[in-house]
Amino acid sequence: VSTQSTGVLPLHCFTIPGLQVQQSFAKQKELKMFGRDKKKEQLKKEETTRTQTEEEERKKREEEEKKRREEEESRKRKEEEERKKKEAERKAAEDKRQKEEKKQKEKEQKEKERQRQRENDKSREAEEKIELAQLEEITLGEDESPTLPVDLYHNFTKESFSAYTKLQTFSREQNTHLVMPEFVIIGKQGHGKSSLLEAFLGYPWNVVGYNGATKRPIYLYVVNSPECKEPKITVKRDSALHEFDSDIQISLKDLQKEITKRNRIFTTEPIYVQYEIADMWNITIIDTPGILSDDKSNPSNPSGSAPSSITASASVTTINKDSGASAGVGGPNEMNKAKVESLIYSLCRPLHRHILCVEEAREWERVEMIDFLKPLDPELTRTTFVYTNFVSLLSKYTTTRQINRYLSDTIPAVKTYFVSLFALTSRSAADTDEKYKEKVWQAYRRDINILESLQYDKRHEEKMGMYRLRKHLMNMAWLIFQQGVPTILKTIRQKKATAQRDSQTLQQQLKGLTTLKLRTIASDYGVEFLQLLQSVLSGSAVANPSLIGQTLEEEKSHHGDAEWLDGSNNSIRVLPHEWGIRYYDHRLYGGQQFERLLHEFKAVCEHCEASEVTMDDVATAAGNQFGNYAWASSDLARQKTEEALGPMIEKVLHRALYIVIRLLDLVEKILEEQRNKRKKVDHHHPSGEKIIDVEDLDNYKYFTFHIKDLFVKYVETAAKNCHEKCFDEFMLTTTIYWDYTEHVDKPPMDPTADQSKLVIQCTSDIFRILRTRIIKNVIYKLYNFFLVPIQTDLWNALQGKLSQLSDQQLDQIFEVSATREKVNEQVRKLESLIQQCSSLENDLLQVSYQYSHQSHLELD
């Protein structure tokens, strides 16, 4: 249709052979590329699907493996629990069996122990009965006194103890100290330390520890008390056990029960007991816990053999079974060998203490305590050895040679004693003090009888028995007290010599207390006072400014009138830093403080302005000379100047007077320090009263007050004179008018200007001129009419006043009559003290002779 209408063929109807081929190739290529892309996409999808499938399979396998492992672990856990359960059941059954076996063994062991204990008790009872019978067979000889067992405890005469009581009195009166001997009893547990202490005192009180072992140190203060015929016991408060927080007084029979209550734990805190009795020296006996033997404290030592030695460094950690503690170092209240030895070493370490070493008598190769003592007392100079239960050892010897060889093997030059006491049964039979002492004597005689039957060497007799040991310890105490007598005597003689010297000095001072002496004292003090005052005013660091100086603020506060006021009575705010006031924050005194005051006065005045001039003031000041502005200005300037600066001058004079007068305390303090350095050490009466020195100005307070009063009056007079001079600066109106019209350069006056404004302007100009002049002149006058006269004229004025004093006035000022009476009273007291010292000296010499030449009963 298109072709027919137009006659033109469409483009695709025209064909070119080459073009068609090219289009065909392009289409084929496009089809191939499309197929390849589609194939790639399909392959990719297949790969993705395959990967997802593999991942899912892998996760499935992992889950299955995890489940398998959990099941395996669960199975193993159940098997382990089952195994542990069976093991626990087996172990419980085994433990039960072992406990039953152990219980059965312990039961059998306890039964054996009880059986052994019963057998031991029976054996001991039999032995004690035999011992008691043996002791009962020992009786006094026909030539022996019935009271011999009691008399043997009296090593010293009644006169000796009476003299000792007086020595104690002398010692307290002279404030000296008699050294109290101290004995420390040490030894192995169960070797009779506490029983030995009981026998030493001679009274049955059964001082054995809790469950038969001393667990705490016992400080026994034996006090000589003449009025106590029977022991008076006071157990002190216990710091280790709070239920015993006060001192209690008990009877002797209750002492064991009281100590047992406090002895239930092991501790280093002592039990303090005061034991008052007549006929006894003041001594301290320290009973220590017994050293634990290895055979008692070590369960691994079934043989029970004793160790070869005991050393200070032993570290045995097992604990005594009787104390209820288990093996090991244990808690703080458990008792073990290391703790006991450490406690004993601490108690024996002080060199003034004497050591009483107690051990059961045995062959010398088995003795252990000597090695223990070597670190404490290498030379054994402060040790006494006591070997107990000597009778048991004696039963082993049958010949003279054996016993003499044993006794000769004691350490030379070291006190050694062999003692036998008696068993509990024998002690229970001694229900009175006399019977107890009789048993002690019978035990002693038993040993002597055995020794004599063995024909022992009599040279060893001094080593035998409780009486020899007691005599030795009492003699040691006696010697220690005797050494204190020269100290008391020396104190009395020194006091007597001092009193004689002071009495002579006072008598000489009374003779020299004349009018000439008083004038010399007054003149010397006046010179020292004025010299020091002049030095302080001139500027000298004779004292510490940080202690006695004042800052500007402190000066105002102490003076009490701190504010500067203007003519309208309004407070002026002072700005020290902005106004340039020097040293306002430094502590000053004397001349430097005065200089700072003047600088402050100048600064305050320069910042002070005249009050406002009103028209009424102008009209009043003009008077009948209306139109003369110079006259009116001069009169107004005079009024405003006096109104503004008058209070300032009053203030600076009051402050200057305060600064100078406060130097009195400083000067007096410095003079007192100088006197203290010059004078000797003060002597005092026994009552503490100071010996008077008539040349010491501290005794003349009224005189020093008189000097200060003269000084204050002179300073006040100088201040009053300076006040008059300063207020002379406020001149008459005529003088001001003349000076203003003749000498002051004035600006030219405008005839058409307001006369009132001219007067106000001129008044302000004249006020500034007058203020400058007055400030300058007032400062000059404060120097010339206040400070300078104090530095120069005060000397002549004060010395003139002192020289004009009559003899009667001097006596009144120095209070001579009262001073003489005080000196005479002290002389009388010193003479009385000299007589007392002489009497005390004679009494002490007599007592010392009685004490030194004591007598005692000898053993047969």
Side-chain angles (χ1 to χ4, degrees), residues 292-410:
L292 303 180
S293 300
D294 292 338
D295 57 341
K296 292 185 179 182
S297 61
N298 189 0
S300 63
N301 185 15
S303 63
S305 59
S308 60
S309 64
I310 302 174
T311 61
S313 61
S315 58
V316 177
T317 57
T318 54
I319 302 177
N320 183 17
K321 294 178 181 179
D322 294 337
S323 66
S326 60
V329 175
N333 294 332
E334 295 177 349
M335 187 173 179
N336 62 57
K337 185 176 181 180
K339 290 182 179 180
V340 171
E341 291 182 0
S342 176
L343 171 62
I344 292 174
Y345 266 75
S346 64
L347 293 173
C348 295
R349 190 167 289 114
L351 299 179
H352 68 280
R353 289 178 176 171
H354 190 81
I355 303 171
L356 199 63
C357 182
V358 180
E359 186 174 6
E360 186 174 330
R362 59 181 68 178
E363 299 297 336
W364 293 117
E365 59 271 13
R366 296 180 57 202
V367 170
E368 303 173 2
M369 291 302 296
I370 295 177
D371 292 334
F372 179 85
L373 277 172
K374 282 300 181 69
L376 283 171
D377 187 14
E379 303 297 329
L380 301 177
T381 54
R382 56 189 185 97
T383 301
T384 297
F385 289 98
V386 181
Y387 296 100
T388 60
N389 198 17
F390 187 47
V391 66
S392 298
L393 183 65
L394 286 177
S395 63
K396 300 178 182 180
Y397 295 127
T398 58
T399 65
T400 304
R401 182 177 181 182
Q402 289 176 333
I403 189 61
N404 286 336
R405 177 180 294 178
Y406 178 82
L407 296 176
S408 299
D409 287 342
T410 56

Side-chain angles (χ1 to χ4, degrees), residues 604-626:
V604 173
C605 291
E606 288 176 347
H607 289 81
C608 177
E609 299 295 338
S611 59
E612 182 181 0
V613 179
T614 64
M615 295 305 298
D616 294 339
D617 294 334
V618 174
T620 303
N624 58 4
Q625 298 189 24
F626 185 79

Side-chain angles (χ1 to χ4, degrees), residues 718-719 721-722 725 780-789:
N721 182 44
C722 183
K725 298 293 182 182
Y780 285 154
K781 289 181 179 181
L782 283 169
Y783 275 116
N784 294 330
F785 297 104
F786 182 73
L787 184 62
V788 173

Side-chain angles (χ1 to χ4, degrees), residues 568-612:
S568 302
N569 207 29
N570 295 320
S571 176
I572 299 175
R573 183 186 178 190
V574 180
L575 303 173
H577 183 70
E578 289 79 356
W579 293 359
I581 298 176
R582 293 179 297 180
Y583 306 126
Y584 70 91
D585 57 347
H586 289 71
R587 286 187 168 86
L588 304 177
Y589 65 87
Q592 292 297 324
Q593 190 175 5
F594 184 80
E595 291 283 348
R596 183 179 64 190
L597 171 64
L598 298 183
H599 206 260
E600 181 189 9
F601 167 75
K602 182 174 180 294
V604 173
C605 291
E606 288 176 347
H607 289 81
C608 177
E609 299 295 338
S611 59
E612 182 181 0

